Amino acid sequence: DADKKLEEYNDKKSKSKSKSDSSKEDTKQKALEKAAEDAKTKLEEAKKAADAFFDQDKQMADCTKDWEELQNKIKETKDEIEQLKFEDKIYKQKNAIEELNQTLETSNKKLEKYSTLADRYEGKNKLKNLKLQTKELKKQVQYYKDMITAGNSEIKQYQKKLKEYGVKFDKDKNISNYDEVLNKYQNSKDLDKVKDWIKEYQDLTENTRDWGNEIEEIINDTQELNNEIKKIEFEDRLKEFSNAVSDANQNMEKLNNELDILDVKLEHASGKEKIDLLDEQIGKWEELIAQQKIALDNMKSQLNGTQYELSTYGFKFDDTDNIINKEDTLDSLKDNANYDYIK
């Protein structure tokens, strides 16, 4: 009985242990399952957090891009406003220059017309068109002076604007630190803007210099025209004197022929006929003297006119009307456009 009871005890103990082990295994399994479930939950939460992070990062990137685009638009708008304000400051001068250029085009057409007519005509008509040319050239000088005034005013506005970006100028209005300025803005969005203004400024300063040169050329052209006008007017005056002398010589020749006839008649005349012939002879002599005086007066006028004309070129005369500085004066006039005419 004791053995049997011991066996039953061991059997109960074994069953109790097996049941206890089974319970522990279940508990452990449940713990593992719960740990796996918790890990899965945390993983999902981590994934959601990661997705949220990446969404936020993308949103930040998009926001940054939008911000940069907005900044670019703001910069472009500010540049446009700056350009419009600057253009408003130089509008008056720029418009004045454009109008003067159009006026010059019209003036040049007039000059071309007057020049063609002057080449076609002689005498008074030629003189008229030469004078019209000088009158139009005088207007052109003023047009160019007005353009230079407007240009210089516009230059000041460009200098003021460019100085805001560090540009410096020398006394001749040239940019003295061109390379330095370009290097400064090499990686700047302002580079193209500054380069455009510099180019416009340089073109404008070059134009004002060209307009000054145009004035010098016009002055030279006007002087040549005035010399030609002077030459024609002088020749016309001399021609008047010369024609008067020629007419007087013809009259004297006619009178001398008539006096020769009277001499023949007087050889065979007597009494009242001879007295009448002598009276007629005296009248012819008086006419002859008058014609001689006309010839002498016009020759003297011709001489005085020539002396006056030569004196404008620096020639001097003694009491006997001889030139006293001919060689020196001619030598000083070698570069004169009318040298051959003067000589």
Side-chain angles (χ1 to χ4, degrees), residues 24-218:
K24 288 181 178 179
E25 188 67 30
D26 290 342
T27 301
K28 183 178 180 181
Q29 182 65 32
K30 288 179 180 179
L32 288 173
E33 289 176 355
K34 186 177 184 303
E37 187 66 28
D38 290 344
K40 182 179 178 181
T41 300
K42 288 181 180 180
L43 182 62
E44 289 176 351
E45 289 177 351
K47 182 179 179 182
K48 288 180 180 179
D51 290 342
F53 173 79
F54 288 122
D55 287 343
Q56 185 179 12
D57 186 59
K58 183 175 182 300
Q59 289 175 1
M60 288 181 64
D62 292 341
C63 184
T64 301
K65 182 180 179 182
D66 292 341
W67 182 84
E68 289 176 350
E69 289 178 355
L70 182 60
Q71 289 298 313
N72 288 334
K73 288 181 180 178
I74 291 172
K75 178 70 169 64
E76 289 173 1
T77 303
K78 285 183 177 181
D79 286 346
E80 185 176 1
I81 292 172
E82 183 181 24
Q83 180 65 26
L84 288 172
K85 286 182 177 180
F86 179 62
E87 287 177 356
D88 184 62
K89 288 181 180 180
I90 63 175
Y91 170 78
K92 184 178 179 181
Q93 296 89 342
K94 191 176 290 291
N95 189 57
I97 291 171
E98 289 177 359
E99 289 182 355
L100 285 165
N101 266 321
Q102 293 175 0
T103 303
L104 277 166
E105 287 181 9
T106 302
S107 179
N108 282 328
K109 290 178 181 178
K110 289 182 180 180
L111 279 174
E112 186 176 353
K113 173 186 174 182
Y114 298 147
S115 178
T116 300
L117 292 173
D119 291 339
R120 182 183 302 171
Y121 294 120
E122 295 294 336
K124 291 182 178 180
N125 284 329
K126 184 180 185 71
L127 201 59
K128 173 186 174 183
N129 284 284
L130 288 174
K131 288 182 177 180
L132 286 172
Q133 285 184 70
T134 61
K135 185 177 180 181
E136 198 62 37
L137 286 173
K138 184 177 180 181
K139 290 180 182 178
Q140 285 198 358
V141 169
Q142 189 57 52
Y143 297 152
Y144 279 115
K145 285 182 178 180
D146 292 342
M147 287 173 73
I148 290 173
T149 298
N152 284 334
S153 179
E154 190 176 351
I155 283 172
K156 289 180 180 178
Q157 291 297 333
Y158 270 100
Q159 287 180 335
K160 184 178 179 182
K161 173 56 65 178
L162 288 170
K163 283 178 180 178
E164 295 176 8
Y165 292 85
V167 179
K168 298 178 182 179
F169 306 90
D170 61 23
K171 60 182 180 63
D172 296 320
K173 301 178 184 177
N174 297 312
I175 294 175
S176 58
N177 62 335
Y178 180 79
D179 292 335
E180 178 185 334
V181 172
L182 291 188
N183 289 333
K184 177 182 177 182
Y185 291 97
Q186 195 62 46
N187 298 317
S188 170
K189 292 180 180 178
D190 289 329
L191 177 63
D192 290 339
K193 176 176 66 177
V194 173
K195 285 176 68 176
D196 287 344
W197 281 336
I198 288 176
K199 178 68 167 57
E200 291 167 8
Y201 172 80
Q202 290 173 330
D203 289 344
L204 182 58
T205 53
E206 185 65 26
N207 285 339
T208 56
R209 293 187 184 104
D210 289 342
W211 298 334
N213 293 333
E214 287 290 341
I215 289 176
E216 292 300 320
E217 289 183 14
I218 290 173

Side-chain angles (χ1 to χ4, degrees), residues 10-24:
N10 288 332
D11 184 51
K12 287 181 179 178
K13 185 177 179 182
S14 176
K15 288 181 177 179
S16 175
K17 182 179 179 183
S18 176
K19 187 176 181 181
S20 176
D21 290 341
S22 177
S23 177
K24 288 181 178 179

